[in-house]
Amino acid sequence: MKFPLLSLLLTLTVFAGKSQESTFEQEMKFVQHLEQYEQENDALFVLEKLHALNLSEQERGTVHYKQGYLHYRLRNFDRAAQFFNQVNLESPELAAAAFFASISHCYDGQYRAASTALLNRKTVLVPKHKGLLTFQLAGHALLRHDLVAFDSLETQFSANHFAYLEQQEELRVLRDRLSKTKRRSPFVAGLLSTAVPGLGKIYAGKTGQGLTNFFVSGILGLSAYEQYRKVGLESPQFYIFASLFTAFYIGNIYGSVYSVNVQYNEQIEDLHNAIVFQLHIPVRTIFN
Amino acid sequence: MRLFFSFIFLCAPFLIRAQYDFNACMRQGKTLYADAGYYEASVMFERAIFHASDGVEKAEATLHKVGCYKKLDRFAEGLKALDRVPLGMITDSLRYQVKYESALLAYLDHSYAIADLHLKQLNYFVKDKALKNRARFLRTLVLNGLQEFEAARDSLTALVRDLPVEPAGRDSLLAAIDLQYHKRNIPKLKSPERADLYSTFIPGAGQIYVGRVGEGVASFLLNAGSLGYMAFNVLVLQAYVTAFTTGSSLFVTFYFGGKRRATVLAVRRNEEVLHEFNQEIEALVLSLVR
């Protein structure tokens, strides 16, 4: 009699325990279901409600990680980084959260925060992910244009990890490109455009715009001169073309001065995008 | 035997729990819907889909979810949700509802070709004739959207003939349909290609063809003015640089700009007249439904 009763009690206890555990697991399965059907916003809604449950530290970490990952998929990098950084030490997804947080910060232009997100969890990331950590920190140094720091970290690059061997080489190439990217002088650009309309823009790297400025200014100037020669100062067309020529000429000088900065910023942005892309690939490969 | 019953007793909570999950989700979803919490209700119905044990439950939950999406004007997402329903595993009446709702959502999303496709699938998948006939109202609206006015009129006429109304009432409805679809009332669409062609030979003619006489005259005068400006500089002032640079730039801008404008006006006018006509037909069809 005692034995069947004991078995019954034991079985019921197991089921009771399982049903409490399964609420969280069931919810996470439902979240996975929503993700599968590309309903990320609904999944975030469900995860937000999960915090009201009595979760263990590990479970809370999993929820934060999931929230971060969904925001990352929706390209809300600011929110993604916030949630990734909240993943606690007990969570099994801590390493993934640290690296995804740093990638999210990179996309958001917060390069120091990207390094901090990794260095704060260094004790957990090393030694298993030491190579990846060094690679990411080197990339962040490059994004901050700190070539000395990059060169120092570059010597510690791993020689045999398949996930980022190629990306390490790409980073070296990008480092060279960055060192050769120089800001041109706005004063020189303005001076060149004063002498020849459009030349300052060509110096800044905007050849098409420079040629357009040259032709438009030339046509207006020639037209004004022609009206002056044919009709003289009484011609209203002379004043119209002369005013238009003056406006274009001055505008062309201003434009050349500012286009130097615009061109430099565009080149830097392209380089930054290329660096972040190279940093992103191994993180997706390893923690997919 | 005792062991067998103990086993059933121990499994029962799990079985009851599984059934409770779907039904509980449906109940909560309906409560949220009644309280106008359409977004929360849609998530709850998705939860019901997740806990559904067969195609019928999945279809029921999806149809309720689609009701929420309609309230939120999220027609495209509703269509995506309905695509997930396994048509081969549900009853004829549910199949009708799924296909009807798909066609309706596509119509509300102005995707008339997709709506037509769903109505054709409804005809193919649903065997019950009475159910098929119920979709004729929507079919009329979709045919109108596709600008198949003859077919739309025929569909509406057939519908009215089958309505359980007095002969006098039926005759007046048929007369209203004939009036609505009379040759004079059917929108006469303007061809954007023709508007472009007219403006190629006579600047402004395309705008006049579309019905914008003032704009057409203005376009003509601007083009004539720029040509006149060129002629004046060449013949009177002998200012050839001004004529061939500024004058020709002005002419090219007005000429090609005028052609593009004529095309845009034709497209816009067609949208406006179709919209007006379809609204009248929609009002007529809805009055029949009521």
Side-chain angles (χ1 to χ4, degrees):
Chain A
M1 186 61 184
K2 277 189 200 167
F3 180 69
L5 266 171
L6 215 61
S7 314
L8 179 64
L9 265 167
L10 194 66
T11 316
L12 284 171
T13 314
V14 167
F15 280 145
K18 223 175 162 337
S19 76
Q20 171 58 26
E21 184 189 10
S22 72
T23 307
F24 174 75
E25 281 176 0
Q26 269 211 327
E27 289 298 282
M28 292 311 290
K29 280 183 182 161
F30 179 51
V31 165
Q32 216 173 342
H33 163 90
L34 289 168
E35 236 187 303
Q36 185 192 349
Y37 291 109
E38 292 170 3
Q39 297 176 51
E40 286 90 358
N41 286 312
D42 293 352
L44 281 166
F45 175 77
V46 171
L47 286 166
E48 195 54 47
K49 296 230 177 273
L50 268 183
H51 285 295
L53 290 180
N54 190 16
L55 301 175
S56 68
E57 284 306 309
Q58 202 171 342
E59 287 168 344
R60 203 168 291 283
T62 301
V63 172
H64 279 136
Y65 175 78
K66 208 67 198 170
Q67 285 175 297
Y69 191 76
L70 285 166
H71 277 296
Y72 157 83
R73 262 178 66 158
L74 290 169
R75 302 188 70 83
N76 302 332
F77 294 116
D78 179 37
R79 297 282 283 152
Q82 263 178 21
F83 283 111
F84 283 133
N85 286 331
Q86 286 179 54
V87 173
N88 49 43
L89 292 168
E90 284 81 14
S91 172
E93 292 101 350
L94 184 62
F99 284 107
F100 275 115
S102 92
I103 290 294
S104 300
H105 279 305
C106 285
Y107 274 112
D108 221 24
Q110 312 288 323
Y111 308 130
R112 286 204 187 278
S115 300
T116 309
L118 292 174
L119 292 169
N120 279 350
R121 280 147 180 171
K122 196 175 174 180
T123 46
V124 173
L125 300 178
V126 171
K128 188 176 180 190
H129 300 292
K130 186 174 181 228
L132 183 61
L133 175 65
T134 309
F135 171 69
Q136 296 288 317
L137 291 173
H140 302 158
L142 210 53
L143 287 165
R144 291 192 317 267
H145 300 189
D146 186 349
L147 299 184
V148 170
F150 174 82
D151 291 338
S152 156
L153 286 162
E154 189 253 340
T155 57
Q156 300 166 48
F157 275 176
S158 162
N160 50 16
H161 201 301
F162 76 96
Y164 42 87
L165 206 56
E166 205 180 299
Q167 283 68 41
Q168 281 172 169
E169 271 314 304
E170 287 295 328
L171 227 49
R172 289 183 179 108
V173 169
L174 289 166
R175 183 245 183 259
D176 286 339
R177 268 179 61 187
L178 187 64
S179 64
K180 287 174 187 156
T181 304
K182 296 275 181 265
R183 192 191 294 269
R184 303 264 168 138
S185 163
F187 177 75
V188 170
L191 205 62
L192 287 171
S193 274
T194 307
V196 178
L199 195 57
K201 285 249 170 117
I202 294 173
Y203 163 76
K206 303 274 190 190
T207 311
Q209 283 184 25
L211 286 172
T212 307
N213 277 1
F214 175 76
F215 282 117
V216 170
S217 299
I219 286 167
L220 290 171
L222 274 172
S223 298
Y225 176 69
E226 188 183 49
Q227 291 300 320
Y228 171 73
R229 282 295 305 269
K230 299 287 180 185
V231 186
L233 288 171
E234 299 87 32
S235 163
Q237 286 195 81
F238 164 71
Y239 290 103
I240 291 169
F241 284 118
S243 309
L244 285 171
F245 169 77
T246 310
F248 261 91
Y249 181 72
I250 295 170
N252 142 73
I253 296 169
Y254 266 122
S256 301
V257 167
Y258 285 111
S259 67
V260 160
N261 278 339
V262 167
Q263 180 69 2
Y264 177 74
N265 289 340
E266 280 173 5
Q267 282 179 310
I268 291 298
E269 199 182 323
D270 283 343
L271 274 168
H272 282 196
N273 288 341
I275 293 166
V276 174
F277 179 72
Q278 298 302 329
L279 293 177
H280 197 179
I281 295 171
V283 172
R284 286 292 298 264
T285 308
I286 293 170
F287 298 106
N288 192 13
Chain B
M1 202 56 156
R2 249 185 284 169
L3 269 171
F4 173 75
F5 281 115
S6 309
F7 175 75
I8 296 296
F9 171 70
L10 289 168
C11 282
F14 262 96
L15 292 166
I16 292 163
R17 219 168 151 280
Q19 189 59 25
Y20 175 75
D21 284 338
F22 171 77
N23 288 325
C25 291
M26 289 296 285
R27 267 198 307 275
Q28 283 182 54
K30 286 171 188 170
T31 307
L32 286 164
Y33 183 91
D35 290 338
Y38 303 120
Y39 176 70
E40 291 83 355
S42 74
V43 176
M44 190 54 70
F45 287 125
E46 183 65 38
R47 203 185 277 280
I49 294 168
F50 174 64
H51 287 294
S53 56
D54 58 22
V56 170
E57 286 184 349
K58 217 174 247 189
E60 279 171 10
T62 307
L63 285 166
H64 278 92
K65 186 177 166 107
V66 160
C68 300
Y69 278 153
K70 279 199 285 196
K71 290 289 188 187
L72 295 168
D73 289 346
R74 286 160 62 170
F75 306 125
E77 286 172 71
L79 257 176
K80 254 177 93 171
L82 286 167
D83 280 343
R84 287 158 46 193
V85 174
L87 291 174
M89 293 161 64
I90 56 179
T91 61
D92 219 27
S93 71
L94 273 176
R95 214 173 287 133
Y96 161 80
Q97 281 182 69
V98 168
K99 279 292 141 192
Y100 181 87
E101 288 295 327
S102 300
L104 179 60
L105 286 169
Y107 175 79
L108 290 169
D109 204 30
H110 306 295
S111 308
Y112 303 120
I114 294 175
D116 189 44
L117 181 67
H118 282 296
L119 285 173
K120 285 185 169 120
Q121 287 178 346
L122 187 151
N123 264 329
Y124 178 77
F125 284 115
V126 174
K127 309 299 172 200
D128 189 335
K129 239 186 176 172
L131 287 174
K132 281 195 218 194
N133 284 343
R134 275 200 256 163
R136 281 190 297 177
F137 287 107
L138 183 56
R139 180 149 175 74
T140 306
L141 294 175
V142 168
L143 284 168
N144 240 49
L146 290 169
Q147 296 166 41
E148 293 177 29
F149 300 120
E150 289 280 335
R153 189 193 58 193
D154 292 342
S155 168
L156 197 52
T157 306
L159 218 157
V160 165
R161 286 193 202 284
D162 290 342
L163 276 178
V165 291
E166 295 291 322
R170 186 176 298 123
D171 288 342
S172 86
L173 283 170
L174 288 171
I177 292 167
D178 281 339
L179 181 67
Q180 197 61 45
Y181 280 101
H182 193 272
K183 262 190 188 167
R184 269 204 304 271
N185 286 335
I186 287 185
K188 290 183 190 37
L189 304 179
K190 298 291 181 182
S191 161
E193 290 80 18
R194 203 173 275 191
D196 182 71
L197 190 69
Y198 290 162
S199 278
T200 302
F201 293 108
I202 305 173
Q207 283 90 326
I208 294 172
Y209 162 72
V210 170
R212 303 285 277 262
V213 176
E215 265 202 56
V217 168
S219 177
F220 179 82
L221 289 174
L222 283 169
N223 279 278
S226 53
L227 278 175
Y229 177 76
M230 277 173 71
F232 173 75
N233 276 287
V234 167
L235 298 170
V236 175
L237 298 180
Q238 279 134 27
Y240 302 108
V241 173
T242 309
F244 291 117
T245 56
T246 308
S248 64
S249 303
L250 282 172
F251 175 72
V252 161
T253 305
F254 290 135
Y255 179 75
F256 287 105
K259 272 164 54 92
R260 261 196 315 275
R261 176 71 179 160
T263 312
V264 163
L265 284 175
V267 168
R268 205 179 286 172
R269 182 205 171 270
N270 289 345
E271 280 170 7
E272 281 167 7
V273 299
L274 277 170
H275 179 69
E276 204 180 300
F277 181 73
N278 284 341
Q279 274 200 315
E280 288 167 10
I281 296 293
E282 249 182 53
L284 177 63
V285 169
L286 285 173
S287 69
L288 292 174
V289 169
R290 280 189 216 107

